Amino acid sequence: MLTASETGVRIYNLGPLEQVPLGEGRAFLVGSTPVAVFRPRNGKVYATQALCTHKGGPLADGLLGGETLVCPLHAYRFNLATGQPVGHECSALRTYAVVVGPDGCIRLALP
Amino acid sequence: MAAKQRLVLIGNGMAGARFLEELTSLGGGEQYDIVAFGDEPYGNYNRILLSGVVSGTHDPKDIFINPLSWYREKGVTLHAGVRAGWIDRDSKKVYAPNNIGETYDKLVLATGSQPFVPPLEGLTREDGRFKEGVFVFRTLDDCSAILAYAQQAKRVAVIGGGLLGLEAARGLLKQGLEVHIVHLTAHLMDAQLDPSSAKLLQRAMESMNIHVHLEKSSTALLGNECVSGIGFKDGSRLDCDMVVLSAGIRPNVDLARASGLTVQRGIVVHNDLSCRNDPNVFAIGECAQHNNVVYGLVAPLWEQARVLAERLSGKNPQAVYRGSRVSTKLKVMGVDLAVMGDKDPRHEEDEVVTYVEPSRGIYKKLVVRDGKLAGAILLGDGQMTPRLLQAFDRSELLPESRSELLFSLGEQSQKLSVADMPDDTQVCNCNGVSKAKLLAAIKGGARSLKAVCDATRAGTGCGSCKPQVQAILEWAADGLVAEDPSVHYYVPGVPLTKVELVRAIKGQDLRSVSAVFAVLAEGREDAASKLGLASLLKTIWGKDYEDERDARFINDRVHANIQNDGTFSVIPRIYGGVTSPDQLRRIADVAEKYQARMVKITGGQRIDLLGLPKESLPAVWQDLGMPSGHAYTKAFRTCKTCVGTDFCRYGLGDSTGLGIQIEQRFQGIESPHKMKLAASGCPRNCAEATTKDVGAVAIEGGRWEVYVGGAAGSKVRKGDVLCVVDTHDEVMQYMGRFMQYYREQGKYLERTYDFVERVGVDHLRQVLVEDSEGMCERLDAEIQAAINAYVDPWKEADHPKHPAQFVRELAVVED
Ligand code: SRM
Ligand SMILES: Cc1cc2nc3c(=O)[nH]c(=O)nc-3n(C[C@H](O)[C@H](O)[C@H](O)COP(=O)(O)OP(=O)(O)OC[C@H]3O[C@@H](n4cnc5c(N)ncnc54)[C@H](O)[C@@H]3O)c2cc1C
Ligand code: SF4
Ligand code: FES
């Protein structure tokens, strides 16, 4: 869960969830940090670093299947919840805590 | 997790930087704090391209491999432009000027080598620096200095007729100087060539106007401040106003020697690349000496970098380096020379095969040992070089008939049996998967082609290696090969064959991808299955298909092709490859206005605007005012044409007109895989129609042959003639019928060349021409419906599907 009391973290309001089409992702520039926010059809919301650890592919343009993210450039897969690589050896994605508030806006915590 | 160790690298050249790349890609960044010293004030660059820089074929900025920013991204502390001066192995610390001190747990030396400077009288001035106009040839800075001086020099002498000297000479010739090569022994490149080939090479160089002086031992450089000539042992002299010293290289080992490491010609290392007398210090590249060999080429050091990275990252602690078989090509424009291994026989039994054609400067020599290639010299004719390099690298057993090795007789003898294929052979060239990796996966339990491919990513690129992977699987899994059921599924995520799936979809009225997952896959959404399902549902439901954009690949969400840097390419439709000044003008304006990184004539007879950011796409399309060329999607792509009866003296049919009609009719029709067409005006087939998915070729008597299932991509296949007809309308009717049948019967991503082979052309003729199944009328109606339903996707510029459809990045304000 997200609370401002978490030490050092800063919480950003990314605006309404609808900005991100259902089943897709979009990139946000949060302060100076590029972040990819995903809205798969399983109803959850996830956030990871914006660029693929393989060769910098734009992850927000990827395909989603449940908790799995497929990078658009070379189809390497990652787990959205953990950021862990699936079936390859590239390093894991940084993930960020994210929730949709009662106001329907996306809230994201940056360390 | 244990505290990070400290890894220090000295030498940020080709070996050092490659090692960093390998190490960080294996997650070494998590295990080590990495510090690197690089004497040169840059990131790192491709040294072997310096020859190109001197000859002007490469711009210095184009030869950089990793800029300084790369080191930052990888968390590597790089002391750029800092020369490590002293290693204290007791306190495990490396010292450098400006009291830099870096302690290490592991130390890697990759200090390379430096040019050997012969002891020449009058080489330097009082202040110890080289005379004006005297240069060595090793670094980017050397090159810049050489190029700058060449502008005002007239006559340059290159001392040393080895690989490097020749490349330097050729480069300076291109800079417009009169070029002389001065060489110590009786023939050029004596390290790699035998006398006969050296003579031919010399002739080739001289025919370019490079003056070659052999058996000349330089003793002095003439001139006071500036060099004015070279003095030779035999008393003769050569006037020149510029000198490039290229007399060999010497490993940079002083640092290692001073710190008490065992040094002979190079730093002596074991098979694990650690120094003989210090297990925590390693050496790679030209400064290392591995079982009495010091290498002077890049291929070996790439292997060394890989091995060391695997060991130190823990990825493969057992990795060892066993030495390399070296081959090299002379990068001299106008001369085709490749050498590998031994230039002469070494043992009685060695067999030597030579072919000489002096008039054309061709010389081919093979040294064969125990039926394998031990060495080769290939001059003047490179057609067999790739084949021989492979045979050499992999120590293949050579075919009995040696002539097969000297002259290409087509494809034969390419296939090497998987059994005697060495483990490090790269099987999948797209993803760099070696035989060893495949074997590991198979040992690890992968027993089907799919399982092996999933586990290794082999075959997931262009797919052309799958047969080989299959062969290796069958050979290694000794009889245990499993036919896993999922290969019959239409998509991996839904356990049904195509027939079952179609029945279920129709039976339960499933019109969207999410509905299919919900009903037929227990709600489990599978990314890898989305695209295939979308394409199937579309062919089943047509305009009643519920199009969910998240089931599309990014290309189909934004109707452009994603590029390696996340930008997109735009290819507008140019019907039949026929354009107009007005169109070209608009394309040019758009290219300038939106700063396309490249404007390129494609292989499909149209124009590609590359490197455009996502958000600019709608405006680009509006300004172009041309429809989409669908170059990004699985659909009808293009119809190439030739000039035909309109202009060509051989033209038998109006191929241009037909091509334009075809493209106007079928543009954008979706299909299991892309469809590329062509229409040729006569059997000379200038539009390559016989190797297209569907093609038309005009023949005598004003008739047209309709071809299907041709290919000239990752696979080459001559199409089969479906039928021969009289009119454009008939051509298009049969083409349309075939396309619809393929749309219904083809598997997702099954290109026509596989489809036609699978169902067989005879069957196609019966069904599509003789109407054996009475479905022609329906097929014609269905394709017509698809044509009527066509809308130009670029219209979404005016009506985006979603406000954020073309948004690349949404900026955010702080809470
Ligand atoms: C732009 C172009 C190269 C060029 O500069 O000329 C091109 C570019 C790409 N081709 Fe191609 N192909 C291009 C003509 C061809 C041709 C020649 C032709 O069309 O006459 C072929 C051989 C004929 C054929 O299609 O087989 C060709 C065979 C391929 C293949 C191999 C297909 C096969 O099964 O053999 C692929 C890979 C695939 O489709 O899976 C491919 C895939 C690609 C992709 C889309 C790879 C990708 O998914 O990103 C390339 C996009 C590059 C980019 O960043 O935009 N491209 N490609 C050509 C566009 C033609 C056009 O105007 O639409
Ligand atoms: C013009 C040219 C063309 C070539 N063409 C080919 C070719 O076609 N094919 C081929 O296979 N090979 C070719 N080579 C050879 C190839 O470039 C070398 O084999 C390769 O660069 C060796 O890599 P290395 O890392 O061992 O040494 P280098 O690439 O020289 O790197 C060593 C680095 O360490 C630095 N260094 C040295 N001492 C210190 C110190 N004490 N502190 C900090 N840094 C230090 C040096 O400044 C240098 O940057 C060519 C070489 C040249 C010069
Ligand atoms: S354009 Fe085609 S051939 Fe060229 S790199 Fe891309 S896919 Fe390969
Ligand atoms: S960049 Fe993401 S898979 Fe290659």
Side-chain angles (χ1 to χ4, degrees), chain B residues 25 30 79 140 186 201 203 210 318 327 407 463 562 564 577 584 622 630 634 679 790 801:
Chain B
S25 78
E30 278 80 67
H79 297 293
L140 193 50
L201 175 62
R203 260 185 27 204
I210 292 176
Q318 293 344 333
S327 58
F407 314 100
I562 192 164
N564 56 14
L584 292 172
Q622 282 162 333
H630 294 87
K634 310 289 173 241
Y790 164 80
K801 282 283 172 247

Side-chain angles (χ1 to χ4, degrees), chain B residues 10-16 37-40 47-48 50-51 82-84 110-113 137-138 163-164 167 252 255 284-287 296-299 301 328-329 331:
Chain B
I10 301 182
N12 183 37
M14 297 195 77
F37 288 92
D39 197 6
E40 299 183 76
R47 193 173 305 283
I48 79 180
L50 288 177
S51 309
V82 179
R83 187 173 186 80
T111 50
S113 38
F137 183 29
R138 176 78 191 180
L163 199 88
L164 231 64
E167 292 185 2
N252 290 320
L255 188 63
I284 54 175
E286 278 185 347
C287 64
L297 295 167
V298 292
L301 62 89
T328 183
K329 290 200 176 115
K331 303 195 296 313

Side-chain angles (χ1 to χ4, degrees), chain B residues 561 600 608 610 674:
Chain B
N561 198 101
K600 186 177 182 308
D608 193 350
L610 296 117
K674 52 193 164 190

Side-chain angles (χ1 to χ4, degrees), chain B residues 29-176:
Chain B
E30 278 80 67
Q31 300 156 52
Y32 297 99
D33 290 319
I34 306 174
V35 180
F37 288 92
D39 197 6
E40 299 183 76
Y42 313 106
N44 85 293
Y45 58 86
N46 188 340
R47 193 173 305 283
I48 79 180
L49 291 182
L50 288 177
S51 309
V53 171
V54 170
S55 63
T57 57
H58 288 75
D59 188 298
K61 69 177 177 340
D62 298 336
I63 72 169
F64 276 87
I65 302 173
N66 296 312
L68 289 167
S69 58
W70 179 87
Y71 293 82
R72 259 178 264 115
E73 285 156 25
K74 298 292 175 184
V76 174
T77 317
L78 172 65
H79 297 293
V82 179
R83 187 173 186 80
W86 169 248
I87 304 169
D88 178 353
R89 293 194 294 121
D90 303 329
S91 62
K92 290 195 169 175
K93 197 159 180 185
V94 177
Y95 294 90
N98 313 327
N99 44 46
I100 298 176
E102 299 280 6
T103 56
Y104 64 83
D105 300 293
K106 300 264 181 276
L107 175 63
V108 177
L109 302 173
T111 50
S113 38
Q114 57 188 297
F116 166 66
V117 178
L120 298 171
E121 190 182 319
L123 173 69
T124 56
R125 302 177 278 199
E126 295 76 42
D127 62 6
R129 287 183 298 129
F130 281 173
K131 266 193 181 120
E132 282 282 318
V134 181
F135 303 92
V136 292
F137 183 29
R138 176 78 191 180
T139 66
L140 193 50
D141 295 353
D142 297 336
C143 284
S144 318
I146 290 175
L147 283 173
Y149 201 83
Q151 300 319 312
Q152 36 106 20
K154 298 194 173 30
R155 217 166 181 244
V156 62
V158 176
I159 297 183
L163 199 88
L164 231 64
L166 297 181
E167 292 185 2
R170 182 65 175 100
L172 289 161
L173 191 69
K174 289 236 9 236
Q175 299 298 328

Side-chain angles (χ1 to χ4, degrees), chain A residues 22-41:
Chain A
L22 183 59
E24 298 185 24
R26 281 295 179 273
F28 291 78
L29 189 59
V30 185
S32 59
T33 315
V35 173
V37 175
F38 300 94
R39 186 188 170 197
R41 289 179 177 269

Side-chain angles (χ1 to χ4, degrees), chain B residues 362-417:
Chain B
I362 295 178
Y363 182 89
K364 304 183 184 186
K365 173 177 180 181
L366 312 180
V367 180
V368 182
R369 190 171 302 141
D370 314 327
K372 299 179 184 160
L373 194 60
I377 299 174
L378 303 162
L379 176 61
D381 168 9
Q383 63 170 188
M384 291 307 287
T385 304
R387 167 85 181 91
L388 288 164
L389 277 172
Q390 176 190 325
F392 176 75
D393 292 340
R394 301 173 172 177
S395 11
E396 283 176 32
L397 271 183
L398 301 176
E400 277 314 312
S401 142
R402 307 296 189 220
S403 62
E404 288 179 20
L405 294 162
L406 290 175
F407 314 100
S408 96
L409 314 173
E411 290 246 328
Q412 100 288 56
S413 70
Q414 272 300 351
K415 274 175 223 54
L416 53 159
S417 123

Side-chain angles (χ1 to χ4, degrees), chain A residues 10-14 18-31 34 40-42 53 55 58 60-66 68 70-77 87-91 107, chain B residues 24-27 30 74 306 315 431 437 454-455 457 514 525-528 530-531 548-554 557 562-566 568 614 802 804-815:
Chain A
R10 191 185 264 130
I11 294 179
Y12 293 81
N13 181 346
L14 306 197
E18 289 63 35
Q19 295 172 102
V20 182
L22 183 59
E24 298 185 24
R26 281 295 179 273
F28 291 78
L29 189 59
V30 185
R41 289 179 177 269
N42 65 12
T53 50
K55 289 189 177 174
D61 286 344
L63 267 175
L64 301 183
T68 312
V70 184
C71 176
L73 286 198
H74 312 101
Y76 282 30
R77 282 169 288 144
H88 58 92
E89 290 153 354
C90 293
S91 37
R107 294 263 185 330
Chain B
T24 50
S25 78
L26 295 177
E30 278 80 67
K74 298 292 175 184
R306 176 79 197 172
K315 166 107 189 328
N431 296 307
K437 260 197 177 171
D454 290 350
R457 300 188 55 79
S514 57
E525 203 185 35
D526 172 44
K530 282 180 156 183
L531 307 181
E548 296 166 337
R549 286 301 172 105
D550 62 297
R552 295 183 175 200
F553 182 58
I554 182 65
R557 292 181 196 162
I562 192 164
Q563 318 273 285
N564 56 14
D565 64 352
F568 290 82
K614 196 200 271 177
H802 185 285
Q805 182 176 2
F806 299 102
V807 173
R808 178 171 45 158
E809 189 170 62
L810 304 134
V812 169
V813 289
E814 199 173 315
D815 234 353

